[in-house]
Amino acid sequence: MAWFRNLVQLSSLKSSLRSRTATTPFPNTHFVSILQFSSQPNSEPTRHVPSSGLGPTSSKEKPRVVVLGSGWAGCRAMKGLDTNIYDVVCVSPRNHMVFTPLLASTCVGTLEFRSVAEPIARIQPVISRETGSYFFLANCNRVDPDNHVVHCQTLTHGANVLEPWDFEISYDKLIIASGSVPLTFGIHGVEEHAFFLREVHHAQEIRRKLLLNLMLSDVPGISEAEKQRLLHCVVVGGGPTGVEFSGELSDFIMRDVHQRYAHVKNYIHVTLIEANEILSSFDDRLRHYATRQLTKSGVRLVRGIVKDVKVDKIILNNGTEVPYGLLVWSTGVGPSSFVKSMEVPKSPGGRIGIDEWLRVPSAQDIFAIGDCSGFLESTGKPVLPALAQVAERQGKYLAEQLNRIGKAGGGYANRARDMEFGEPFVYKHLGSMASLGRYKALVDLRQGKVEIRTPSKQFFLELSLTIKSGAY
């Protein structure tokens, strides 16, 4: 069970709980059940963590880099860190990295869920085998930059589990890569009734709901109106995620539903709702091509703004009511509550403000990368888009910088204050791609989204992919 491999790290907290068993009703047998799912040999020695967490490192220990998050940015940074110089501690609510561009394909069975997730222990093996390096399944609630400490709380799910508890981790270098959260714009009912598409469990819930609606719609006694509602899939947001999911759904309808659910094949359809133009970051010609292809695939495009979300319908700003059986919300991302709570200068849009070297200027030894960070206005640089290629390259750049600093003796806390960080981070956009279903896709190879648009600096490519079924 590779999914539980990193959960073995929780066994290191076993000793810290022994002192609490007199006042807490949690037997240590909970940890035994976790170890039974571990792929690690039982002979591996247990690494104990002090009850208060991890204290400051001594001169006899390697400096500690704490990474908050396990997304594109955090995992790339962990992978690039020189573990001969640093101990690595990752704190994240998930023990794997998700290849988000392929999540839409897992919702309809084109790909299996295990194909889009990679355990963190495979990305950076030291967290599961080296003394001083750990993975903790937890959320970071607060950062204390003055004392170089992060305050965390363990993450538990379901009934009959351990109550979460707080612990602290001292750091020499802190990398904040906590990502972003879906934007709902404060619209009533979105959180309660809509599905997002950011995590593996989101894709699992969408697949479960879609198949349930298909089976319920074929049961005797259901009315025609209710059957049409159950089989109406609505996608809100015309960005790459919304367009790709709509394309995957149309493929699923044409290939699977028409064969396996022939009794209801004429009822199921997809509606994509967007306030402006779909794929607004792409070139005009590519947007028009996408519109034609989606319409040809049976996707209904509606321009409108969602005003309210009910349990069985959404209401647009013009009063139109749109019944639905499945609602997927994909209207962009924004800063999380953790990022909002941090008392540091923010970039436009509310992200953690960083300088040209990805440092948080107001706090020593703290760096921020990925969707949670943005250049401060004082740098003169625009806030980079929330893309995987941005996060991946920031993680790679930061790991190289920290390795260089560590070799020069600046790995410990407050040791790099007067050190030069070398060349600043420079982002070059490599292009964007979006699949439309039916083996068709768009590729926009402009050199940069923030550059002045001149014909000599950009070109566009429209591809109709003819790939054998299952090749991707």
Side-chain angles (χ1 to χ4, degrees):
M1 298 283 293
W3 285 86
F4 291 90
R5 177 179 299 174
N6 286 326
L7 291 180
V8 72
Q9 302 302 327
L10 288 177
S11 65
S12 60
L13 293 175
K14 179 179 177 182
S15 61
S16 68
L17 289 176
R18 288 174 177 167
S19 61
R20 298 167 48 187
T21 52
T23 57
T24 56
F26 316 134
N28 289 335
T29 53
H30 287 281
F31 292 93
V32 177
S33 63
I34 292 175
L35 284 171
Q36 290 171 352
F37 290 100
S38 173
S39 60
Q40 303 295 330
N42 292 333
S43 59
E44 182 181 0
T46 302
R47 290 178 288 124
H48 300 291
V49 180
S51 59
S52 59
L54 297 176
T57 56
S58 66
S59 58
K60 296 181 180 180
E61 299 174 306
K62 290 185 287 188
R64 181 185 302 135
V65 176
V66 175
V67 182
L68 304 181
S70 57
W72 285 86
C75 286
R76 186 60 185 87
M78 280 191 290
K79 180 180 180 180
L81 285 172
D82 188 343
T83 54
N84 292 319
I85 301 175
Y86 294 106
D87 285 330
V88 181
V89 175
C90 178
V91 178
S92 175
R94 68 183 187 198
N95 68 338
H96 58 277
M97 174 188 168
V98 180
F99 194 84
T100 45
L102 294 180
L103 268 181
S105 299
T106 64
C107 297
V108 295
T110 305
L111 291 175
E112 280 301 317
F113 301 113
R114 63 179 178 271
S115 301
V116 300
E118 184 74 4
I120 298 175
R122 292 183 184 173
I123 298 172
Q124 181 48 271
V126 300
I127 65 172
S128 62
R129 70 186 186 200
E130 296 291 337
T131 302
S133 295
Y134 302 89
F135 168 79
F136 294 132
L137 192 72
N139 284 312
C140 178
N141 296 327
R142 185 168 64 90
V143 176
D144 182 356
D146 296 331
N147 297 310
H148 281 60
V149 171
V150 291
H151 299 262
C152 306
Q153 185 177 71
T154 57
L155 187 68
T156 55
H157 291 288
N160 301 321
V161 296
L162 291 171
E163 290 290 335
W165 65 92
D166 298 331
F167 61 96
E168 300 175 358
I169 304 174
S170 297
Y171 63 84
D172 294 294
K173 299 289 185 285
L174 175 65
I175 301 175
I176 302 176
S178 54
S180 54
V181 295
L183 285 176
T184 64
F185 304 102
I187 299 174
H188 176 265
V190 175
E191 294 279 357
E192 294 81 2
H193 307 304
F195 292 95
F196 302 108
L197 192 53
R198 300 271 295 169
E199 304 286 349
V200 171
H201 67 85
H202 292 157
Q204 291 173 327
E205 292 166 358
I206 290 172
R207 183 193 284 194
R208 189 179 301 113
K209 180 67 172 178
L210 180 61
L211 295 178
L212 177 63
N213 287 354
L214 280 168
M215 289 182 282
L216 288 178
S217 63
D218 208 17
V219 175
I222 190 171
S223 65
E224 290 291 307
E226 183 65 7
K227 184 181 293 187
Q228 290 179 350
R229 183 191 71 81
L230 281 175
L231 297 179
H232 186 200
C233 304
V234 176
V235 182
V236 179
T241 301
V243 167
E244 290 182 343
F245 180 70
S246 299
E248 290 285 353
L249 271 181
S250 66
D251 277 359
F252 174 70
I253 292 170
M254 295 297 294
R255 297 183 181 183
D256 295 282
V257 174
H258 282 207
Q259 293 180 9
R260 303 180 185 180
Y261 302 92
H263 298 154
V264 297
K265 65 181 182 180
N266 296 324
Y267 291 89
I268 186 168
H269 58 285
V270 182
T271 297
L272 176 60
I273 300 176
E274 168 58 40
N276 299 302
E277 295 283 344
I278 64 169
L279 299 174
S280 59
S281 62
F282 284 70
D283 178 63
D284 293 342
R285 291 169 289 176
L286 297 181
R287 290 204 299 268
H288 295 155
Y289 175 78
T291 300
R292 293 195 304 270
Q293 292 300 322
L294 288 174
T295 303
K296 190 183 298 185
S297 300
V299 178
R300 180 189 174 203
L301 301 179
V302 174
R303 180 173 292 186
I305 300 175
V306 177
K307 181 181 178 181
D308 195 9
V309 177
K310 304 292 186 182
V311 66
D312 57 356
K313 64 183 177 182
I314 62 176
I315 302 173
L316 303 182
N317 59 337
N318 60 5
T320 303
E321 296 185 354
V322 182
Y324 69 86
L326 172 67
L327 176 61
V328 176
W329 194 270
S330 176
T331 58
V333 295
S336 64
S337 57
F338 167 68
V339 170
K340 292 178 181 178
S341 68
M342 291 194 64
E343 297 179 356
V344 296
K346 302 294 174 60
S347 70
R351 303 185 189 183
I352 298 173
I354 55 175
D355 62 13
E356 297 93 328
W357 295 271
L358 311 183
R359 301 174 297 189
V360 179
S362 59
Q364 184 68 21
D365 296 323
I366 297 181
F367 307 83
I369 54 178
D371 295 358
C372 69
S373 66
F375 288 119
L376 291 166
E377 288 184 304
S378 59
T379 64
K381 293 187 175 185
V383 176
L384 297 176
L387 299 175
Q389 59 178 304
V390 176
E392 194 274 342
R393 261 173 282 167
Q394 285 183 333
K396 179 181 179 181
Y397 167 86
L398 183 56
E400 292 173 350
Q401 292 294 323
L402 290 179
N403 290 341
R404 188 177 60 81
I405 292 170
K407 291 177 181 178
Y412 292 97
N414 298 313
R415 293 283 185 87
R417 188 185 302 271
D418 299 323
M419 286 189 174
E420 294 292 333
F421 270 70
E423 294 294 325
F425 175 76
V426 177
Y427 171 70
K428 182 180 179 181
H429 188 65
L430 298 180
S432 301
M433 180 175 178
S435 63
L436 304 175
R438 302 178 67 184
Y439 306 123
K440 299 185 185 301
L442 305 178
V443 180
D444 189 338
L445 297 180
R446 285 179 289 178
Q447 291 184 4
K449 293 185 176 182
V450 297
E451 293 181 358
I452 299 175
R453 300 177 62 178
T454 60
S456 62
K457 288 190 175 181
Q458 57 189 290
F459 62 100
F460 311 101
L461 178 63
E462 178 181 301
L463 293 180
S464 179
L465 302 179
T466 54
I467 309 173
K468 292 183 179 180
S469 178
Y472 56 94

